[in-house]
Amino acid sequence: MPPITLTNLGKVYPGGVRAVEGVDLSVADGEFVVLVGPSGCGKSTTLRMVAGLEDISEGELRIGDRLVNDVAARDRDVAMVFQNYALYPHLTVRRNLSFGLERRRRTLGLSKADIAAKVETTARSLGIEGLLDRLPKQLSGGQRQRVAVGRALVRDPAVFLFDEPLSNLDARLRVEMRAELRVLHRRLRATMLYVTHDQEEAMSLGDRMVVMHDGRVQQIGAPMEVYARPVNRFVAGFVGSPAMNMLDGEVVDGVRGPRFRPRVGGELDCPRTSHRGPAVLGMRPEAIGFVPLSSGDGPEVEIEAVERYGDRGDAWLRLGNGERRLVHRGAASDLPAEGLRVRLAILDEGVHLFEAGGLGRRLGSLADEDGFEEG
Ligand code: ADP
């Protein structure tokens, strides 16, 4: 049995707010799965239902082969790490780590010496053994975060749950802690379910990511698979930074297959599709480039601003009629000069065609070997 199985899970809050609907997800033993989506999409509610902190309105939740919809949080064999750490301020790190075990010492059949040993081992594994006699207020943000993780670790639970655990840290520390969590996961081979609104964090941490929107799962997959083959415009726009460029227009017949005609004028290569008519062309910032005005038939753009970050950089482009900005990402040394007028060209495969309406189902990608037909 997989450690966690969500079947058609749903949540309606008292007062009628529907937060989560029809979530199906199976987390494999030892897997690191990240729930990701914009604020309000229902990811925390989903995690809190797994933790037992929120009643389940619909569907089934299993931990192992046990149905736990109505099982109390403390009896679910899960441990949760919160965004605000939730450390006891008046207890030392040592007591913060041992507290949960001490409270249940008899049930767990542990001696005081067992607990002390577990605390020492856990502290060493997180590199906080030198901090055991400090109070939380005497720790840095990163150290507090480690203690919070340690508190989950000592309990040796079947499943670890994380609710935005890194969002209170500064950018640099966040990236460091991200790598530490990844290493920790590899070492423990523990089952982890993690919530974040940060798509980069989701991509870097997860074996698989679950992209949510409006209470529903949009796509589940390995990060690079979701990046390369987003199921719809929402996922395409959410995953990747800078965000995918979207251009409204229509698919028309060309001499050698379909062409995309942006509303602002010009023509671009189009993924293979049998669709004709209104559509949206999505282009990764790395997938677009430029040619001189005198060549090609792409829409005309003006290079509005150029930003360089060491080896790479972004060029912000304004389309001919000033309607929309696009962004190109490339090697800093190859970026065009600000103020230049050029034509947009497609460089590589990160180009997708989406339906114009609704969530914008993906119709095809340049990466698809032979495209695929809708339906
Ligand atoms: P996320 O974690 O993705 O930001 P949440 O799961 O916290 O989203 O919230 C999903 C939706 O449920 C939102 O519309 C939110 O306003 C609503 N919601 C969250 N908690 C409550 C609550 N206790 N009572 C009523 N509505 C809630």
Side-chain angles (χ1 to χ4, degrees):
M1 286 302 278
I4 322 177
T5 315
L6 288 61
T7 310
N8 200 23
L9 210 66
K11 174 73 183 181
V12 179
Y13 279 108
V17 178
R18 171 167 282 290
V20 175
E21 185 166 13
V23 171
D24 288 316
L25 173 67
S26 202
V27 181
D29 190 23
E31 199 181 15
F32 197 147
V33 171
V34 182
L35 300 176
V36 64
S39 176
C41 73
K43 53 195 185 298
S44 300
T45 301
T46 304
L47 191 78
R48 292 170 62 82
M49 286 193 283
V50 175
L53 301 173
E54 209 63 75
D55 290 338
I56 293 170
S57 317
E58 301 151 357
E60 289 187 348
L61 172 68
R62 285 173 197 278
I63 293 181
D65 51 9
R66 177 169 169 230
L67 183 70
V68 295
N69 283 46
D70 299 317
V71 172
R74 64 176 181 282
D75 298 325
R76 286 191 187 188
D77 201 13
V78 301
M80 185 140 160
V81 179
F82 295 92
Q83 173 181 157
N84 56 11
Y85 317 135
L87 300 179
Y88 300 108
H90 56 288
L91 298 183
T92 60
V93 169
R94 190 187 304 280
R95 291 286 325 279
N96 263 287
L97 292 177
S98 65
F99 188 81
L101 294 179
E102 276 162 15
R103 232 179 19 178
R104 310 182 62 209
R105 193 162 70 82
R106 295 227 162 68
T107 329
L108 298 169
L110 293 172
S111 70
K112 288 210 162 135
D114 292 337
I115 292 177
K118 267 178 180 289
V119 167
E120 290 283 343
T121 313
T122 302
R124 259 200 309 281
S125 79
L126 292 166
I128 53 172
E129 68 274 27
L131 309 173
L132 284 170
D133 296 314
R134 291 203 200 167
L135 290 171
K137 67 175 182 217
Q138 299 166 313
L139 303 175
S140 71
Q143 291 167 334
R144 260 178 241 161
Q145 185 54 58
R146 281 191 197 102
V147 177
V149 171
R151 221 166 43 163
L153 222 56
V154 280
R155 291 181 44 195
D156 197 18
V159 173
F160 288 85
L161 306 175
F162 295 90
D163 191 2
E164 303 250 8
L166 305 185
S167 52
N168 285 343
L169 304 176
D170 67 51
R172 200 183 189 110
L173 196 52
R174 211 156 58 219
V175 172
E176 261 175 48
M177 287 297 296
R178 204 161 79 189
E180 279 188 26
L181 280 176
R182 196 65 223 164
V183 171
L184 186 72
H185 175 255
R186 220 180 49 217
R187 208 178 64 217
L188 296 174
R189 277 285 138 217
T191 308
M192 297 183 169
L193 188 58
Y194 186 107
V195 159
T196 179
H197 64 275
D198 179 346
Q199 59 86 26
E200 193 179 298
E201 200 168 294
M203 289 204 57
S204 60
L205 279 174
D207 295 324
R208 285 189 301 155
M209 61 200 275
V210 179
V211 184
M212 295 186 68
H213 174 59
D214 268 354
R216 292 188 149 273
V217 171
Q218 302 297 313
Q219 186 165 7
I220 302 178
M224 286 309 287
E225 183 184 305
V226 174
Y227 181 83
R229 298 174 71 87
V231 293
N232 60 32
R233 220 163 61 214
F234 173 80
V235 175
F238 184 75
V239 175
S241 174
M244 187 184 284
N245 298 292
M246 300 286 179
L247 211 49
D248 297 325
E250 57 175 344
V251 180
V252 298
D253 280 311
V255 182
R256 286 186 303 271
R259 302 280 292 160
F260 187 79
R261 198 169 279 167
R263 217 169 51 207
V264 296
E267 244 180 55
L268 288 165
D269 294 343
C270 182
R272 270 217 235 166
T273 176
S274 61
H275 174 88
R276 296 293 179 271
V280 174
L281 194 69
M283 302 168 291
R284 293 281 178 207
E286 297 82 3
I288 56 175
F290 324 100
V291 292
L293 276 185
S294 57
S295 66
D297 47 13
E300 195 177 322
V301 295
E302 182 186 334
I303 311 296
E304 253 195 341
V306 173
E307 301 167 349
R308 291 186 171 84
Y309 328 105
D311 58 336
R312 289 172 314 154
D314 296 335
W316 294 89
L317 327 169
R318 190 161 286 277
L319 283 167
N321 64 357
E323 161 183 306
R324 207 181 244 272
R325 282 170 100 200
L326 305 178
V327 60
H328 153 85
R329 172 160 286 188
S333 52
D334 293 344
L335 293 177
E338 287 178 349
L340 206 65
R341 297 191 75 82
V342 287
R343 278 187 202 286
L344 197 66
I346 284 174
L347 294 181
D348 81 7
E349 296 177 338
V351 174
H352 309 269
L353 190 71
F354 302 102
E355 275 182 348
L359 286 171
R361 191 164 56 99
R362 186 171 60 115
L363 300 168
S365 303
L366 282 186
D368 295 338
E369 220 161 5
D370 42 18
F372 61 85
E373 308 298 296
E374 60 266 48

